[in-house]
Amino acid sequence: MILIRSILLIFFIFSGLLYSQATVTFTLPVVTLMDVEPAGNMTLNFTAPTEAGNPLVNPTPNTSKWINYTSAIATGGLSRRITAALINQPIPGVNIRLQAATASGTGGGALGTPSAQVTLTTTPITIISGIGGAYTGNGVNNGHRLTISLVPGTYANLSPQANTVITIVYTITE
């Protein structure tokens, strides 16, 4: 009888040790973060032609800016997109064009898909769509490289401008 009790006691002790469990609770927050790297302004200037009858010389497109983002979406949530728009009215006769490249760098997940080149106006236009749970990596050479260019639109509407500041606003949304 003592032997049976001892065996049962040993069995219960070992079964408790072998089949113990713990509950772990964790939280994964919904995250939506985006920025443009590096910080700071850029300058694009047309060059006057040196021969009568020739058009303006377009500035070299600027490729120094990168869009970085981090996105964690709730179960069943919508994918995200990034839009771009001008804050102020465009310069008459000048088109400001923007192209986001395919994501590159150290990121991972469901990175977004860039649209074709767009001409910016004060109305937001999608430049990257289909962003899911993803991160692009931080800083230059991570995320989507932006190419910003100026080209004449309608020559009849051109008028000399000096140091005209145009602001582009980028927004990430569902």
Side-chain angles (χ1 to χ4, degrees), residues 38-163:
N41 299 325
M42 67 177 75
T43 301
L44 298 170
N45 292 314
F46 286 100
T47 304
T50 57
E51 182 66 36
N54 287 338
L56 291 170
V57 178
N58 297 344
T60 301
N62 184 296
T63 59
S64 67
K65 301 293 184 182
W66 292 76
I67 287 187
N68 300 160
Y69 53 81
T70 301
S71 172
I73 298 174
T75 303
L78 300 173
S79 64
R80 295 195 167 97
R81 63 190 172 103
I82 296 175
T83 62
L86 300 176
I87 293 238
N88 30 2
Q89 290 297 317
I91 303 165
V94 175
N95 290 331
I96 302 169
R97 295 186 179 160
L98 176 69
Q99 172 71 60
T102 301
S104 62
T106 61
L111 296 166
T113 304
S115 66
Q117 184 182 62
V118 298
T119 300
L120 296 176
T121 66
T122 55
T123 302
I125 186 165
T126 300
I127 60 168
I128 302 169
S129 61
I131 300 168
Y135 70 101
T136 59
N138 186 37
V140 173
N141 298 321
N142 289 299
H144 299 266
R145 176 177 274 196
L146 299 176
T147 300
I148 300 169
S149 56
L150 296 180
V151 295
T154 306
Y155 265 83
N157 294 340
L158 289 176
S159 63
Q161 305 279 327
N163 298 320

Side-chain angles (χ1 to χ4, degrees), residues 15-36:
S15 67
L17 293 174
L18 295 175
Y19 297 104
S20 295
Q21 62 184 10
T23 301
V24 177
T25 303
F26 69 93
T27 302
L28 177 60
V30 173
V31 177
T32 310
L33 296 170
M34 180 203 60
D35 69 357
V36 177

